[in-house]
């Protein structure tokens, strides 16, 4: 009986890992297929045949769509953005009261360069795993800006990601 229980637990742990590996392999395969379709489209442009160009464009569109779907599936399998579901069940962790900074609110977008005053060390989220945020790598830091959470590259001051209405 003990062996059966251990085998069942082992299978339950190994199954998600295998699914993630398969999903990553699918994404790589789709990227290769997209590159090949793009090369075929370039050849069709060089040949000048309108029918072949139209067919190759369709193939490239389909390859891009398939790649987007596999990336979306991989993100779901890896639990990306699972903080929303976690927040619904653990509202007390996210309810930090009325938080105000000494500057006015700005709705930042990804790719925007911001002043160091917005991502100073006093605004860092020291424990992003507590809120189920993806890990910040290298010079990246999760920063609180009113009710939003911003991922900032602290070397360049560039906003990498924004979660609006994170602390409600």
């Amino acid at each position: 009986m003990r062996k059966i229980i251990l085998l069942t637990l082992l299978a339950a742990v190994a199954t998600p890992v295998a699914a993630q590996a398969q999903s990553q392999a699918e994404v790589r395969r789709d990227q290769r297929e997209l590159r090949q379709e793009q090369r075929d489209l370039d050849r069709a442009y060089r040949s000048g045949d309108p029918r072949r160009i139209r067919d190759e464009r369709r193939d490239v569109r389909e390859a891009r769509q398939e790649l987007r779907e596999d990336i979306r599936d991989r993100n779901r399998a890896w639990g990306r953005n699972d903080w929303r579901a976690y927040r619904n069940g653990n509202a007390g962790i996210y309810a930090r009261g009325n938080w105000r900074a000494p500057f006015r609110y700005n709705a930042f977008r990804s790719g925007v360069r911001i002043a160091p005053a917005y991502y100073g060390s006093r605004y860092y989220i020291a424990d992003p795993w507590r809120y189920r945020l993806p890990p910040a790598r290298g010079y990246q830091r999760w920063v609180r800006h009113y009710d939003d959470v911003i991922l900032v590259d602290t070397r360049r001051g560039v906003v990498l990601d924004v979660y609006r209405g994170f602390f409600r």
Side-chain angles (χ1 to χ4, degrees), residues 5-155:
I5 293 172
L6 287 175
L7 286 174
T8 305
L9 287 173
L10 183 61
V13 170
T15 302
V17 173
Q20 289 175 5
Q22 179 184 3
S23 179
Q24 184 64 28
E26 288 174 358
V27 169
R28 279 195 218 105
R29 185 195 71 232
D30 286 344
Q31 287 172 336
R32 281 192 301 271
E33 288 177 8
L34 178 59
R35 284 192 296 270
Q36 181 60 42
E37 294 296 342
Q38 189 65 48
R39 282 192 289 269
D40 291 345
L41 178 61
D42 292 342
R43 284 188 206 109
Y45 277 127
R46 283 193 293 269
S47 74
D49 182 13
R51 182 177 296 146
R52 185 173 170 208
I53 291 172
R54 185 181 62 242
D55 292 342
E56 292 300 334
R57 280 183 181 164
R58 185 192 64 236
D59 291 345
V60 168
R61 264 194 316 272
E62 290 171 358
R64 283 185 182 143
Q65 179 62 31
E66 196 170 321
L67 176 62
R68 279 193 296 267
E69 289 170 359
D70 280 345
I71 289 172
R72 194 176 314 120
D73 291 343
R74 182 193 64 187
N75 288 345
R76 279 193 204 116
W78 287 3
R80 299 270 167 96
N81 293 331
D82 67 340
W83 61 269
R84 288 183 177 92
Y86 183 73
R87 179 180 64 186
N88 292 338
N90 301 292
I93 294 174
Y94 294 86
R96 291 291 178 198
N98 197 5
W99 186 85
R100 297 285 180 244
F103 40 77
R104 67 184 185 87
Y105 175 79
N106 287 309
F108 294 118
R109 302 185 318 264
S110 295
V112 173
R113 186 177 299 262
I114 61 175
Y118 290 104
Y119 58 90
S121 61
R122 73 183 274 195
Y123 306 117
Y124 287 174
I125 296 177
D127 49 358
W129 57 89
R130 181 177 185 208
Y131 301 105
R132 304 289 168 104
L133 288 167
R137 305 257 195 281
Y139 291 97
Q140 299 173 358
R141 294 288 183 262
W142 285 105
V143 177
R144 181 168 184 175
H145 181 65
Y146 287 81
D147 285 346
D148 299 345
V149 174
I150 304 169
L151 182 62
V152 179
D153 180 350
T154 56
R155 286 183 300 172

